[in-house]
Amino acid sequence: MALSDAEVSKQIQHMVEFINKEAGEKVEEIDTKAEEEFNIEKGRLLQQEKLKVKSYFERKEKQVEMQRKIQRSNQQNQARLSILKSRDDNVDKILSDAAKKLGEITKDQAKYQQIISSLIAQGLFQLIEPHVNILCRKQDMEVVKAAIPAGIDQYTKATRVKVVVEINKVNFLPEECSGGVILYDKTHSISVSNTFESRLELLSKQMIPEIRGILFGASLTRKFYD
Amino acid sequence: MSNHTTNHNHHSRKERKGGIQELLAAEQRAVSKINEAKTRKIKKMKEARDEAQKEIDSYRKELQDEFEQKWKKDKAADEFSLQIQRKVRDEMRTIDSKVSTNKKQVIEKVLVQVYDITPELHENLQVSIPSETL
C-alpha cells in the first residue's frame, strides 16, 4: 500500500540528508588529500630543486677555483719565461759584444800571425789534402803569407805528409770581417771556415752553459752535465 | 469522501514529484560541491608548485649573493700577482747586476777560447798510411 505523504517526505528528507552527508565526506576527503598532496608536492619540489641549485653553485665554485689556479700557474709560468728570456737576451748581448771585439787581436801583429798559423794548421788537419787554398782578408795577405810555413810545419810534423798551401789572390774575405782564414781543397768540394766569426759561433754554442754559469751562478735545477 | 481521496491522490503525486526534484537538486549540489573540491585541489597543487618555485628562487638568489660575495674580488690573486711581479723585478735586478759584474770576464774568456786553437788530427786517422807519400 502506498506510503503516506508524511512518510514519503520523511524518506526523501532522509535521502537528501544522506546525499549531503556523503558529499560532505567526499569533499572533506578531497580537501584533506589536497592538503596532504600540497605538502608532499611542495616538499618534493623543494628538495629536488634545492639540490640542483646547490650542486650548480658547487660546480660553479669549483670552476672558478680551477680557473684561478690556472691563472696563477699561467702567471707563474709567464714570470719564469720572462726571467729566462732576460737571461738569454743578456747572453746574446754579451756574445754580440764579444763579436765586436773579435778583431782587436789583429792589431797585435805577432800574436795575430801566430793565431793564423794555428788556424791554418787546424784547417789542414781537418782537410788532409795535398793541395790547399786559403781565403783571407785583403789586408791580411802579408800576415797570412808569413804564417803559412809555421802552419805547414805543424801539420807535417804530425802527419809526415807534404802539403802545398796557396793564398787565393783573386777573391778575399770581406774587409769588415774581423779576421781568420777559410781553407779549401783544390776542387772546392770541402772547406774549413776558420774565421773568427765562425769560431765564435761554434764556441758560443758550446760555451753557453758555461757562460750562464759564470754570469748567473750554477743552475740549481740542472741534473745532467755531459 | 471520494472527492477527498482524489484530492489526496492528486496532492500526493504532486508531493512525490517535488520529492524527486528535491533529491535531484541534492544530487546536483553534491556533485557541484565535489567538483568545487576537485578544482580547489588542482588549484592547491598549482599553489604547491608556485610556492616551491618562489622558495627555490629565493634560495638561488641567496646562494648567488653568497657566491658573488665570496668570489667577487680575489684578494689573494691580486696579492699573488703583485708578489710575482715583485719577484720578477728582483730577479731582473739581480740579473742586471750579475751581468754587469761578470760581463767582462765572460767576454775575455770567450775571446781567449776563440784565439786558443789546438790543431788535432782526427782520432780515426791512420798516420801510417799517408806517410808513404812523404
Side-chain angles (χ1 to χ4, degrees):
Chain A
M1 194 40 232
L3 294 165
S4 74
D5 283 351
E7 271 173 329
V8 167
S9 168
K10 204 177 154 198
Q11 197 86 3
I12 284 174
Q13 213 53 51
H14 201 68
M15 282 164 86
V16 166
E17 263 168 41
F18 179 76
I19 289 169
N20 283 344
K21 191 169 157 268
E22 281 284 288
E25 273 171 18
K26 185 83 186 163
V27 164
E28 203 175 314
E29 192 187 307
I30 291 172
D31 282 344
T32 312
K33 211 166 176 196
E35 198 65 41
E36 264 173 35
E37 282 180 22
F38 172 88
N39 287 326
I40 291 170
E41 178 71 354
K42 189 177 161 185
R44 186 185 68 82
L45 283 173
L46 276 183
Q47 203 196 3
Q48 175 189 312
E49 294 302 311
K50 273 190 176 179
L51 217 64
K52 270 192 205 164
V53 171
K54 207 174 161 194
S55 76
Y56 167 77
F57 279 103
E58 275 169 1
R59 245 191 351 262
K60 212 168 152 180
E61 208 154 303
K62 269 190 195 139
Q63 271 173 4
V64 173
E65 246 170 305
M66 184 60 75
Q67 251 169 1
R68 295 204 167 163
K69 271 188 196 155
I70 291 170
Q71 206 179 328
R72 279 183 184 212
S73 148
N74 281 343
Q75 271 183 317
Q76 222 154 11
N77 208 27
Q78 217 63 47
R80 205 164 43 227
L81 286 180
S82 71
I83 288 167
L84 287 179
K85 186 173 181 311
S86 158
R87 286 177 169 217
D88 264 5
D89 290 349
N90 273 298
V91 170
D92 287 350
K93 175 85 173 55
I94 286 174
L95 285 175
S96 82
D97 285 356
K100 281 176 204 145
K101 293 190 173 187
L102 274 177
E104 284 178 12
I105 199 90
T106 58
K107 288 173 195 150
D108 182 347
Q109 283 285 317
K111 178 87 180 143
Y112 186 43
Q113 186 182 322
Q114 188 202 319
I115 288 168
I116 295 281
S117 293
S118 300
L119 289 175
I120 291 170
Q122 206 260 351
L124 292 175
F125 276 33
Q126 282 193 285
L127 285 172
I128 321 172
E129 284 288 320
H131 196 111
V132 172
N133 290 328
I134 290 180
L135 214 54
C136 66
R137 300 192 301 183
K138 202 166 187 175
Q139 66 265 43
D140 286 347
M141 285 260 285
E142 289 310 311
V143 192
V144 174
K145 202 189 263 173
I148 286 174
I152 292 176
D153 193 43
Q154 271 195 69
Y155 175 73
T156 313
K157 261 187 197 144
T159 60
R160 298 157 49 72
V161 174
K162 262 197 226 161
V163 61
V164 180
V165 178
E166 276 178 293
I167 301 175
N168 188 328
K169 294 191 176 76
V170 185
N171 296 313
F172 300 97
L173 292 175
E175 276 180 35
E176 62 275 14
C177 88
S178 40
V181 289
I182 293 177
L183 298 89
Y184 56 95
D185 76 315
K186 217 159 79 181
T187 59
H188 285 249
S189 49
I190 38 175
S191 70
V192 175
S193 178
N194 263 344
T195 61
F196 286 163
E197 275 83 1
S198 24
R199 275 190 65 80
L200 177 66
E201 201 178 316
L202 263 173
L203 274 166
S204 54
K205 269 179 202 149
Q206 291 165 13
M207 286 181 75
I208 277 179
E210 198 186 336
I211 292 171
R212 283 203 198 110
I214 298 169
L215 277 179
F216 311 117
S219 165
L220 296 174
T221 47
R222 188 165 184 162
K223 294 275 195 297
F224 300 101
Y225 295 88
D226 48 15
Chain B
M1 180 66 190
S2 78
N3 190 18
H4 174 78
T5 312
T6 317
N7 200 15
H8 172 83
N9 274 348
H10 176 72
H11 178 76
S12 161
R13 208 178 292 129
K14 209 174 163 190
E15 276 280 291
R16 220 168 283 172
K17 209 178 170 191
I20 289 166
Q21 218 85 64
E22 213 173 312
L23 275 177
L24 284 174
E27 193 90 33
Q28 199 59 50
R29 268 199 314 279
V31 167
S32 82
K33 260 188 194 165
I34 288 168
N35 281 341
E36 272 167 32
K38 281 182 180 166
T39 313
R40 257 203 313 282
K41 187 175 175 234
I42 290 168
K43 219 176 122 195
K44 194 85 181 165
M45 286 299 107
K46 194 183 174 307
E47 256 171 54
R49 286 192 291 275
D50 291 348
E51 272 185 33
Q53 191 56 51
K54 234 188 230 168
E55 281 181 39
I56 288 157
D57 286 347
S58 83
Y59 179 68
R60 182 183 289 115
K61 181 153 178 0
E62 192 186 309
L63 288 194
Q64 180 74 39
D65 290 349
E66 213 175 277
F67 179 85
E68 272 164 21
Q69 202 56 40
K70 186 172 173 187
W71 296 100
K72 180 177 57 182
K73 190 140 174 58
D74 190 0
K75 277 189 188 154
D78 293 346
E79 209 166 290
F80 182 80
S81 106
L82 275 178
Q83 199 184 314
I84 281 195
Q85 281 168 21
R86 213 176 302 131
K87 227 168 101 185
V88 169
R89 228 179 10 248
D90 288 352
E91 186 65 30
M92 294 290 189
R93 219 172 285 147
T94 313
I95 288 173
D96 285 348
S97 89
K98 278 181 177 170
V99 165
S100 61
T101 316
N102 301 320
K103 184 176 175 169
K104 217 173 154 223
Q105 190 196 341
V106 170
I107 291 180
E108 267 165 30
K109 192 160 179 118
V110 170
L111 290 179
V112 164
Q113 291 277 322
V114 170
Y115 306 138
D116 179 30
I117 304 129
T118 44
E120 271 175 339
L121 279 169
H122 195 276
E123 55 183 311
N124 288 346
L125 182 72
Q126 308 243 319
V127 181
S128 55
I129 295 165
S131 70
E132 298 162 16
T133 53
L134 191 72

